[in-house]
Amino acid sequence: MEASLDKGIFSGESSDTREEIVALLTKAYWMEIETVMSYLAASTNLDGVRAQEIRESLAGDIEDELGHAREFAGRIKELYGVVPGSEGFQAEQGYLQPPAEQTDVIHVIRGVIKAETGAIEHYTRIVEVTDGVDPVTQDMVIAILRDEQGHRRLFEGFLREYELEGKA
Ligand SMILES: [Fe+2]
Ligand SMILES: [Fe+2]
């Protein structure tokens, strides 16, 4: 095939791969939406002097995660998929529900680390699946993956501080 005729991920032969990528992006989209919900609740609910840093950090992350959801939605559309409606949503972050005590910062820190780890695993998979077939999606997801690694690293630092104090 001549290079000028090669439509890459948009070619007919690639339609199965494209559908697989759209499915992976749809899952990523829902993960971001759920993270927005969980972080919004946690950043609002947390009480206490020590929670202030975590609250502010989470408030910033909400904007990042919403931005990621937008990027995933846009790419789903570009790949001829349809961004799902709310009825397609299924919650998976049982570990990020509000704790019994709203001063339980450690519960939230651990939940955030788990959510970020889940995102990192899923986005790493997308990077692998898109390798050599859809460089545009791959490039986008690599940038998002870096954000999630940064989020996780920050919260690992918070957890370490509590562990050193013997509180976690
Ligand atoms: Fe995200
Ligand atoms: Fe994140």
Side-chain angles (χ1 to χ4, degrees), residues 100-114:
E101 291 294 335
Q102 302 311 318
T103 50
D104 190 353
V105 179
I106 293 164
H107 169 88
V108 172
I109 294 173
R110 288 217 167 99
V112 169
I113 291 171
K114 193 162 180 180

Side-chain angles (χ1 to χ4, degrees), residues 113-152:
I113 291 171
K114 193 162 180 180
E116 299 294 342
T117 299
I120 287 166
E121 285 170 2
H122 185 59
Y123 302 168
T124 299
R125 165 117 201 275
I126 300 178
V127 170
E128 286 165 5
V129 169
T130 52
D131 191 48
V133 291
D134 183 358
V136 175
T137 298
Q138 188 185 45
D139 193 55
M140 181 192 90
V141 175
I142 287 171
I144 295 173
L145 180 56
R146 186 180 183 186
D147 287 348
E148 312 303 12
Q149 289 173 346
H151 294 160
R152 182 171 70 175

